[in-house]
Amino acid sequence: MKLPGKLVSALFGPIPVSRDRALGASERLSACTSLTSSLEYLSQRHNMRKGGLNDWSIARDVHVGSTRLTRRFLDFVGNEKTTTALHAARVAASAGLLLPGNGKWRGAANVFLGLSNAALYPRHRYGTDGSDQVSTLVQTTTGLARLSSSENVQDTLMWYVALQANMSYLISGWVKLLGRPWRDGSALAGVMRTRTYGHEGFFRLAQRYPVPARYLAHGVLALECLFPIAYAKGGLLARPIIASAASFHVANGFLMGLGRFVTSFVSMHPMVAYTSTPKDHPAVAGRDDRALLTVLVTGAGAVATAAAVAGTRRARAADRYPGTRKLVTRHGNTLTYEARLSGRDSDPVIVFVPGMASTSEHFGWITDTLVSESDFDLVTYNRAGYAASTYAGGREFTLGESVDDLVDLIDGVVPAGRKVVIAGHSLGGEIARRTAGQLGDRLHGIVYLDSSHPGELIRSQQQSESAKKFSDGLSLFVGSLRAGLGILLVRPNWVNSLPANYRSRAFAQYADTRLWTAGTREWKATEKDFRSFDGELGEIDAHALVISAQRTVDRDPEHLLMHHELADAHRRRGKVVRTTVIDGADHDSMLTNARLSTRVSRRIQEFVTEISRTGEAVSDALKEEAR
């Protein structure tokens, strides 16, 4: 029984390491990282020269928005002679830290390495990676700990590194968990087949033995997601957890060529070993753990704050604003809408249909321009699940449901006898096209705003390849928002580009889980529908305006062909069909950019005016014929 007992004690339990030994181990491992890094840069100085990967005359343009003082400092560091001198000094300091000793000079050397690495980061924009960032963290922290004579300060700094290590694994693991490739175990083989980080031999083994490869991928995922259990039960699992993490980095170094990752990430492990050892162990006697309590209290406060912010945004996103009305459709969905209806019966009513994962606020510039420059009647709405509109659920969702909802909205809101022009952006254009069968003569025209085409996933290689990434992106966004990370979101540029009175509403919806949940539901139905498309567009007895974004069709010429097909489906006797490309616009900026969307709005005005006159002429001709 002695052998099993010794084996268990060797494999399980804490790793008792004193404060000084933990600091020494961390700084030496990190010194290996900076030594290797600077030697690599010195041996590849051609990358810093004119035309090189890190040519400063080009890289400096990234910092054009910085202050003059910052730009001068970066230009000084970016000078080839200065960069070379700093790397030479880093080599000397790193080599010195590999020597034995505990003098204060070690603290100064560590701080120099940390600060110089941060200063050189903009200089080596391409080539720096997570290993350099970790070494900056460890060296700056161990340097400050060495320079301090207070053991409490040293323990606080060591807890900081240990907690950063836990977060780096924990967050990485849970983010991976949101992606389908890691959940189904295919991610590891996928990484190994890439040119940059791949390993042909390992990839072939993963292909030959898929079950062990899947278990290995799940093992990596479990290690990262559960790394903090190294602290449970008095550090009972500290040895296997730390050993597994170190082995993981060694394997990455060998298979993926990430040699510096080995010493950089492993340099945090001594701090984890020190802080996970029970406080009553002689090796860590007197350790100050108040930093952990502070972090836990702060974390609880952050969680409460995140929940409050999410709740506030949800309330704002789901609120019906003054002038907004609602309508219940045949499917039990509640649609909220805003309408400007004058009571005239001559001109058609323009109904705007948003794209996927977007709301009526996206049309802000277009509708505001129409209101100020024309007297056309308008209706904007949000589909079920977006903003204040609600989705009844209880059945499998299809695009046909959104089509039915739009038809019910038109029948319930637009006065009987009045025709409509439906303007749909992206997926909204396809939903508008599909209403033709139900609206009949009431559909006067369709405006396709960089519209989707039901054959795009089959005919466009770019769209087909990006479909999976889009699915993963939606899952990641939904998972992150549900985890409370919405508090970290900043307003994207497109929100700040909207009219001022739409921005807060648009951002509240963007940061709310409901929008992304609705987008995910629509995307699943859209992908299933589009991948089964038979290739034929039915004829539509209505006028059409097809507006394409230049960058969309430049990036994928197949889209321009499909947009022409949308126009061709309307080419019947007496029908007005117009096509145009908005120069400089992309899929979203044609709506959110003030200058571009104004051009779009005026194209719509011209089109609706033209088809209104055409309709009047046809009506007069019919009356004359009847006489």
Side-chain angles (χ1 to χ4, degrees), residues 151-387:
E151 292 182 348
N152 292 341
V153 171
Q154 292 176 347
D155 286 342
T156 298
L157 292 168
M158 294 173 76
W159 263 112
Y160 173 71
V161 174
L163 290 169
Q164 286 286 347
N166 278 271
M167 289 177 63
S168 68
Y169 291 112
L170 186 66
I171 294 174
S172 176
W174 284 98
V175 169
K176 285 186 178 74
L177 192 61
L178 296 174
R180 187 188 307 167
W182 281 101
R183 294 199 304 271
D184 63 25
S186 64
L188 203 57
V191 172
M192 290 298 111
R193 69 178 295 179
T194 62
R195 180 174 299 177
T196 305
Y197 296 116
H199 188 280
E200 184 177 356
F202 188 90
F203 171 69
R204 294 188 182 280
L205 283 174
Q207 292 294 100
R208 186 179 303 173
Y209 305 105
V211 175
R214 185 165 62 250
Y215 285 144
L216 182 59
H218 287 160
V220 171
L221 195 59
L223 170 66
E224 292 187 331
C225 290
L226 301 176
F227 189 87
I229 65 173
Y231 289 78
K233 295 287 185 180
L236 177 65
L237 297 177
R239 289 175 187 253
I241 290 291
I242 293 175
S244 297
S247 301
F248 168 69
H249 292 300
V250 170
N252 282 346
F254 175 73
L255 295 172
M256 302 175 67
L258 299 173
R260 280 185 281 165
F261 271 69
V262 179
T263 51
S264 64
F265 277 86
V266 172
S267 70
M268 297 190 290
H269 292 174
M271 307 293 195
V272 176
Y274 174 70
T275 55
S276 61
T277 300
K279 195 172 181 179
D280 57 2
H281 195 285
V284 297
R287 186 184 67 205
D288 187 347
D289 292 340
R290 286 178 294 177
L292 176 61
L293 179 61
T294 301
V295 168
L296 292 176
V297 172
T298 303
V303 169
T305 302
V309 169
T312 301
R313 287 173 175 168
R314 166 62 61 81
R316 184 165 181 76
D319 186 26
R320 287 202 297 130
Y321 296 96
T324 301
R325 286 166 276 184
K326 65 179 182 178
L327 177 140
V328 179
T329 71
R330 73 188 80 170
H331 296 289
N333 300 325
T334 300
L335 306 183
T336 55
Y337 67 92
E338 295 178 71
R340 183 180 81 162
L341 299 172
S342 62
R344 298 190 315 274
D345 58 3
S346 55
D347 295 332
V349 178
I350 307 175
V351 180
F352 287 90
V353 187
M356 185 186 302
S358 62
T359 59
S360 60
E361 281 73 22
H362 281 71
F363 293 115
W365 284 117
I366 294 177
T367 54
D368 281 3
T369 302
L370 285 171
V371 168
S372 63
E373 296 184 358
S374 76
D375 57 359
F376 292 127
D377 288 348
L378 313 174
V379 174
T380 60
Y381 83 108
N382 289 303
R383 285 195 299 279
Y386 293 101

Side-chain angles (χ1 to χ4, degrees), residues 40 101 130 153 201 255 293 402 408 425 462 465 471 488 509 565:
E40 285 180 356
V153 171
L255 295 172
L293 179 61
S402 292
D408 290 349
H425 176 244
Q462 181 193 72
E465 291 176 352
S471 298
L488 303 178
Q509 291 155 5
E565 288 180 11

Side-chain angles (χ1 to χ4, degrees), residues 23 38 87 89 95 111 169 179 255 281 287 296 334 340 343 389 414 444 454 472 479 484 504 600 602 612:
L23 282 171
S38 287
H87 279 302
V111 170
Y169 291 112
L255 295 172
H281 195 285
R287 186 184 67 205
L296 292 176
T334 300
R340 183 180 81 162
S389 297
V414 179
H444 197 47
D472 292 340
S504 60
V600 171
R602 287 172 181 162
S612 297

Side-chain angles (χ1 to χ4, degrees), residues 66 71-72 86 141 178 214 217 239 251 325 337 380 417 449 460 485 549:
S66 302
R71 293 198 305 272
R72 286 182 176 177
L86 281 173
T141 307
L178 296 174
R214 185 165 62 250
R239 289 175 187 253
R325 286 166 276 184
Y337 67 92
T380 60
L449 299 171
S460 170
L485 300 181

